[in-house]
Amino acid sequence: MMKKVFCSLAFLACAAQAALAAPSVQAVHLELTDEDYIPCDSSLAAEFPKGMPLGIGSSLAFVSKKPDGSLVFLGISDRGPNGDTPLWRDASGALYPTKMFPSPDFTPTIATITVKGDRAKLSDLTLVRDEKGQPISGRPVPAGLTGSTGETALDVNLSALPFDANGLDTEGIDIARDGSLWICDEYGPFILHLDSKGRTLEKYGPGSGLPEILARRQINRGFEGLCVLPSGKIAAVVQSILDLNGKVKKSSAPFVRLIVLDPTTKECKTFAYPIDATSYKKNADAKIGDLAAAGENRVLLIEQGAAEEDGVIHRLYAVDLSEATDITGVKAPDGRELETLSSLDELTSAGIRPASKKLLADLNALGWKAEKAEGLAVVDDKTVAICSDNDFGMTAELTGVSGKSKDYLVSDGKVVTAKDLEPTGGKVRVTPTGEETAFWLVTFDEPIR
């Protein structure tokens, strides 16, 4: 047994170091028309005269290559423009985390992206809809329901917005052979099967087709990537390590959970993807960007996060699941969850073989500058497409007060001091960042293996 453990660890170590020769990179400029801006509150007209630029880079799926050489993809937005705001104090004095939604009725949107040369355009915008065909929103799910984050949504005037029982924070997309769509979300985390028009056909969540433990995702870090495997099975990966006890910042969990769902038999398997734990300030900082199929048991994956030193890591890996252990329902030797183990050594000593990984490219070394690499698609055996999430080109900032945001609360639509609830006159200012969607075509000299 120990020989197998050492061989496994040696393979993981070598795989993490190995990489293909530096690939070539073609940067693509995404051109937006007036139709590609979304309405926002009228009070923001001066800052956003056209509205906010549609952020469509939360995930990518390759569709086809046209006779003229242009490439067609699908992209998907997340839950919509939002920004951090101080804690909400309700009438009873209870405190809740918040998010400001400048476009509170925004519906997560799917778009066709056509790349020709070094230019790309959007078309065929499709709204994500519920089973009845009604557009859903990106606002948080109410307390008590699967997917609730405990957040209160606020408008630009700091008034509470209604919850949405069907709300989604979409983050992954791929296409089935029959042309239907599969997407995933960060709230539940959920996996949804949509028809080609965006209407929900099936919805899976923790305890409802997916392992219950997935409900213990960190807030807003549910499923971050999804792909359809050649067999038609669905692979999805949780963005970060799970939060078992509310103390995730102290967790040494060495892996994130990657699931494979068979929509025909409803069987769901779970695998451990080993994060680059020594690269981050905390294991909880590791984040997955997206997932793309490269075979029945092979996927490509972007791993990123705040580095142990300054900056943010962005790495592209090939991941092999063929010899990985199905950890669905499996516990550590002491009966606790596997995330309580603090290293890959402990994981393998417990008889768990994680997925193996091979470094394909360090995106930073290739010149990647965007903070979030969140879209990934395989074009052919040598080329992948990667794009960023530009957060709708907006940011929110608490102004008119001194000190830190944690020193203030939102109550009755006003910014007040946390200590004595005195009104401050502070505001949350929404401003454009000018950040565009980064889009790369990355081509290797040899087939990606």
Side-chain angles (χ1 to χ4, degrees), residues 103-331:
S103 300
D105 295 323
F106 175 79
T107 295
T109 300
I110 300 165
T112 297
I113 305 171
T114 302
V115 177
K116 188 171 184 180
D118 62 356
R119 293 287 185 269
K121 293 184 177 181
L122 300 181
S123 62
D124 303 321
L125 301 186
T126 299
L127 304 182
V128 177
R129 301 173 183 272
D130 63 17
E131 293 87 345
K132 297 180 179 180
Q134 298 301 309
I136 60 92
S137 78
R139 297 192 305 275
V141 176
L145 297 184
T146 300
S148 172
T149 61
E151 294 172 308
T152 292
L154 304 177
D155 64 18
V156 294
N157 298 312
L158 301 183
S159 296
L161 291 164
F163 292 97
D164 187 342
N166 292 314
L168 295 174
D169 188 358
T170 48
E171 288 289 348
I173 188 169
D174 207 352
I175 310 163
R177 287 183 181 178
D178 63 3
S180 61
L181 306 174
W182 288 89
I183 66 171
C184 66
D185 136 283
E186 290 196 89
Y187 281 154
F190 299 116
I191 291 176
L192 290 86
H193 188 198
L194 312 178
D195 66 17
S196 61
K197 303 298 183 182
R199 183 174 65 87
T200 299
L201 303 174
E202 299 175 279
K203 185 175 182 179
Y204 301 81
S208 181
L210 301 178
E212 289 187 6
I213 193 172
L214 297 180
R216 297 165 81 174
R217 82 298 182 250
Q218 297 181 50
I219 291 177
N220 295 320
R221 295 203 201 175
F223 286 134
E224 185 68 20
L226 171 145
C227 63
V228 179
L229 302 174
S231 64
K233 295 178 182 178
I234 311 303
V237 63
V238 179
Q239 184 176 30
S240 298
I241 62 174
L242 298 183
D243 186 358
L244 300 181
N245 54 14
K247 300 178 181 179
V248 70
K249 291 183 180 180
K250 296 182 179 180
S251 173
S252 297
F255 69 94
V256 299
R257 293 189 178 236
L258 189 158
I259 67 100
V260 175
L261 169 69
D262 186 331
T264 301
T265 66
K266 309 304 180 184
E267 179 185 29
C268 187
K269 295 183 177 181
T270 310
F271 303 100
Y273 167 79
I275 60 173
D276 297 342
T278 59
S279 297
Y280 304 105
K281 297 176 181 178
K282 305 181 298 293
N283 284 20
D285 290 338
K287 299 179 180 180
I288 306 304
D290 202 5
L291 203 60
E296 185 55 36
N297 293 301
R298 295 183 71 253
V299 295
L300 304 188
L301 173 153
I302 294 173
E303 182 176 339
Q304 57 191 346
E308 175 65 29
E309 299 179 355
D310 291 339
V312 178
I313 291 166
H314 303 91
R315 294 169 181 162
L316 175 64
Y317 283 102
V319 181
D320 190 339
L321 302 174
S322 59
E323 296 185 21
T325 305
D326 179 5
I327 61 171
T328 306
V330 176
K331 305 287 186 180

Side-chain angles (χ1 to χ4, degrees), residues 20 62-65 69 71-73 292-295 298 300 316 360 376-385 441-449:
L20 299 178
F62 180 63
V63 179
S64 65
K65 183 176 182 178
L71 304 175
V72 182
F73 300 86
R298 295 183 71 253
L300 304 188
L316 175 64
L360 298 180
L376 175 65
V378 175
V379 177
D380 55 41
D381 65 348
K382 293 184 179 180
T383 304
V384 300
L441 294 173
V442 182
T443 302
F444 294 88
D445 291 335
E446 57 189 76
I448 302 167
R449 295 188 176 89

Side-chain angles (χ1 to χ4, degrees), residues 364-376:
N364 291 351
L366 298 178
W368 184 265
K369 301 299 183 184
E371 179 186 353
K372 300 178 179 180
E374 292 199 357
L376 175 65

Side-chain angles (χ1 to χ4, degrees), residues 9-19 317-318 355-360:
L9 291 174
F11 179 82
L12 284 168
C14 292
Q17 296 297 321
Y317 283 102
S356 61
K357 59 193 286 188
K358 176 182 179 181
L359 180 66
L360 298 180

